[in-house]
Amino acid sequence: MSLTRLKFKFGQWLEHRIKYIGTLLSNAFALLISVLLLLTDYGIDLSKTINEAEVYSRLSGVASIMVSIVIGISLTTFSVIFVVMQLASSQFSPRILRHFLANDVRVQQYIGLFIGTVGLCVIPMAVSAFTGKPFTITITSGIVLALYCLVWSYPRMITYLSVNMNVAAIADKVKGDTVNEINALYPEDWQPGMPMLYTPLKPEPKWFTLSIKSPLKSGYLEHINYLKLEKYITALAKHYPWSKDLVLYQRPIVGEFIMQWASALITLQLPETPTREQQTTLERLMGEIIDDVFTINTFRSYTQDINFGVRKLVDIAIKAISPAVNDPTTCLNCIDQLGDIARNLQLKAYPSAEARQLQSKNIIANEFNFEQLIDFCFDQIFQWGKEDPTVVRRLIQTLRLLAENAENPYNLMVLIKQVNDMELPELYSDTSVKERNIKISKEKIEGIHTSLRHFEQAAKQRIDYLKSMERLQYKAKGLHCEIESAEEKAIAYLIKYIEKP
């Protein structure tokens, strides 16, 4: 397994366990370190050098005070954090709460350190009360750790939270997590000769079809273990020879909401109609496979779900330009980050490396494509912000930058259509502005038309570049009719666009 795949698997494992890091660290301080120190203390006799009982008695008082201070500060700090994050969630997006409280390693480290320190101070006093032996070394270690919390960790935590609770930092963090997932899922860049777009294979209309509804609890499809799924289907063909030509189609995209006994998770196809007994066997085995392979959760996560990060940024952008918030700068920041996500994805080869491997095993994964991502990124923001010239201009500028760096002709066609579908010449004509009674200066209207002309100029220059690289000379290979038809139409669209005056 390559280093990239190992990092991807480790990231998946870690993402679902970050929320337990605080508990793990607190137990390590309170139990593991305490036991080691207590055993050391028990074997060392300090009474020959100091009056251990008197020293321990004084240290116990100090430890009690330190525990009270740490608990008081912790309760006050995290109470304030809850209030601030609740306000931030209503202003930007409720999904950012999980980022700080459950999905942030640093916050979990602070929680574990503070709670563990309290345990390290209390445990020696509790053990001493039952054994009558003073544990001076242990309680001294607890006091030192409490001082470390107050003097070093607490100020760092406040600084960390104040920086990372800024919406710009939140947007950058979301972008970073999404780009990391893109790089893990799509390790290979697109090259000429590769398919320009991705469309999952559709079931054969004349084959026997069996749809398997979800037996799992209702929730969001968070993760699919494709490695296990591949092993299960391979083992199924070995144990039941009649299923060797079985084709499995994944129905929902990761991140979709799944209703128990209502949403179909997979569709099975066989060239020949199986017996009733064989159908029953398939349904039973698929129920077991689904239970082990598909993960349903109350929340979505970044694992295999690039749209989750996009959804967060779009939510923040939309709320920022709402009349209640009126913060267009935040919206512009989100548009910039969405553009960076789209830039990374438009360079990649589709489908994902895992999906290509599965297709050779007759397992058809369902993934979204670049065209859908562009719609997710910009459509809703445009619908809510089309009356704001500043937002519209930033959208055009972002799409222009994407067009200037497009290597794939189909992706360039998607970007051009995205701008054309906005119908900006009609929307910002003098007649339309007067009819809608919008107070926009002529300077801003002209600014939009200027940005639009710059986009058209950049798009035509990029088409000329692709033409000079012989990427518009298309010849079908007869591999996938639907994909090749879309590729041919995309190239025809680009040629027609460049001929437009």
Side-chain angles (χ1 to χ4, degrees), residues 414-439:
V414 169
L415 297 170
I416 294 173
K417 288 190 69 176
Q418 183 72 23
V419 174
N420 287 346
D421 289 345
M422 293 179 182
E423 299 179 345
L424 294 176
E426 295 80 11
L427 189 65
Y428 277 92
S429 65
D430 292 337
T431 304
S432 176
V433 170
K434 289 180 181 179
E435 288 177 353
R436 290 181 291 148
N437 195 25
I438 303 175
K439 295 182 179 179

Side-chain angles (χ1 to χ4, degrees), residues 95-142:
R95 296 171 183 84
I96 65 175
L97 281 173
R98 289 174 58 215
H99 166 68
F100 282 99
L101 303 180
N103 285 46
D104 192 284
V105 177
R106 294 285 294 276
V107 171
Q108 291 295 314
Q109 287 176 339
Y110 289 129
I111 293 173
L113 178 61
F114 290 162
I115 296 176
T117 298
V118 172
L120 191 58
C121 291
V122 171
I123 286 176
M125 290 190 286
V127 176
S128 180
F130 287 98
T131 62
K133 176 177 173 54
F135 293 94
T136 308
I137 296 176
T138 307
I139 202 166
T140 302
S141 301

Side-chain angles (χ1 to χ4, degrees), residues 8 177-185 302-306:
F8 177 53
D177 290 339
T178 305
V179 170
N180 289 338
E181 192 67 18
I182 289 174
N183 293 331
L185 291 174
Y302 291 102
T303 306
Q304 300 176 337
D305 186 7
I306 297 170

Side-chain angles (χ1 to χ4, degrees), residues 403-407 412 458-467:
E404 288 174 349
N405 293 278
E407 297 289 341
L412 180 56
K460 290 182 177 180
Q461 288 176 351
R462 198 61 183 178
I463 295 172
D464 285 334
Y465 166 77
L466 295 179
K467 190 175 182 179

